[in-house]
Amino acid sequence: MAVVSPLAKYKLVFLGDQSVGKTSIITRFMYDKFDTTYQATIGIDFLSKTMYLEDRTVRLQLWDTAGQERFRSLIPSYIRDSSVAVIVYDVANRQSFLNTAKWVEEVRTERGTDVIIVLVGNKTDLVDKRQVSIEEGDAKSREYGVMFIETSAKAGFNIKPLFRKIAAALPGMEAHSSAKQEGMVDVNLKSAGNASQSEQQGGGCPC
Ligand SMILES: Nc1nc2c(ncn2[C@@H]2O[C@H](COP(=O)(O)OP(=O)(O)OP(=O)(O)O)[C@@H](O)[C@H]2O)c(=O)[nH]1
Ligand SMILES: [Mg+2]
């Protein structure tokens, strides 16, 4: 008889300054869509997606935070709850790159070393407006001791590789899976402070 194992669930929190493309990266990953109109995230958004990997299936719970200052106080509790922090900057906005130091510090304060951090340089399609080179991004990630990748949500560049990279780094089910706490029941989160939520089953990523 086949053994049914609980689906390993992992919480990912997306951090970074306003307008760097956090929501766009998630939207590209979830729906393979991109919208040029900027719609600032209000509070926190929640989405979830099942990823079918070669050797296992994982459920990713994505917390999309707002970059706007007025929502900053909401963020620490989501960092505390997450096993992965995706820190995004805009390669055409040097200040957003410099501010990643604050985000890394915030994640370290909440989670210490018990967390996977990925530094993401987004908007690589803005070739003529680039202010941060890939070498600088890479060097910074080494300085922080975190993973690094460049993406373009607009061009759909490196989005799947980003999530594959994260999935590959996820700890084994025994160690960190929140499924352990939640048993085998799939939980729909109902309340997230000011959050607006939409749960998506996610059709199965061909990753
Ligand atoms: N050229 C280009 N524009 C992008 C890219 N990703 C996002 N954008 C644009 O940048 C703007 C902000 O994108 P969002 O995804 O809303 O940024 P965000 O980080 O979620 O912003 P907040 O929710 O306010 O924190 C939008 O106009 C997007 O269309 C990209 O890869 N390339
Ligand atoms: Mg957003």
Side-chain angles (χ1 to χ4, degrees), residues 16-19 22 38 41 43 65-72 75 103:
D17 285 6
Q18 183 176 357
S19 203
K22 299 176 292 296
Y38 173 44
T41 302
T65 69
Q68 280 180 32
E69 283 290 336
R70 64 191 171 117
F71 298 116
R72 286 291 152 89
I75 296 176
W103 290 109

Side-chain angles (χ1 to χ4, degrees), residues 19-53:
S19 203
V20 293
K22 299 176 292 296
T23 302
S24 300
I25 289 171
I26 293 171
T27 304
R28 174 62 81 185
F29 176 58
M30 295 289 299
Y31 314 111
D32 202 13
K33 283 191 180 140
F34 177 77
D35 190 353
T36 46
T37 325
Y38 173 44
Q39 267 195 293
T41 302
I42 303 299
I44 314 268
D45 274 333
F46 169 74
L47 297 102
S48 96
K49 175 152 173 138
T50 303
M51 263 183 100
Y52 299 94
L53 306 166

Side-chain angles (χ1 to χ4, degrees), residues 129-166:
K129 293 186 178 156
R130 195 189 260 271
Q131 296 180 356
V132 184
S133 69
I134 188 167
E135 289 78 17
E136 281 179 286
D138 186 50
K140 192 58 90 181
S141 72
R142 285 167 204 278
E143 188 189 306
Y144 296 152
V146 305
M147 297 192 293
F148 173 66
I149 193 167
E150 280 196 343
T151 59
S152 167
K154 183 174 185 179
F157 169 66
N158 260 353
I159 300 297
K160 274 182 198 160
L162 161 65
F163 285 89
R164 258 189 245 126
K165 205 177 168 83
I166 292 169

Side-chain angles (χ1 to χ4, degrees), residues 85-147:
V86 182
I87 299 176
V88 184
Y89 67 91
D90 172 354
V91 299
N93 176 345
R94 176 160 284 276
Q95 194 55 49
S96 73
F97 175 64
L98 298 175
N99 288 345
T100 58
K102 287 195 284 187
W103 290 109
V104 171
E105 196 184 309
E106 184 134 9
V107 174
R108 293 286 183 218
T109 303
E110 297 295 338
R111 301 277 318 192
T113 52
D114 180 29
V115 62
I116 295 163
I117 302 178
V118 193
L119 183 67
V120 179
N122 186 42
K123 307 198 188 182
T124 57
D125 58 283
L126 297 177
V127 178
D128 296 339
K129 293 186 178 156
R130 195 189 260 271
Q131 296 180 356
V132 184
S133 69
I134 188 167
E135 289 78 17
E136 281 179 286
D138 186 50
K140 192 58 90 181
S141 72
R142 285 167 204 278
E143 188 189 306
Y144 296 152
V146 305
M147 297 192 293

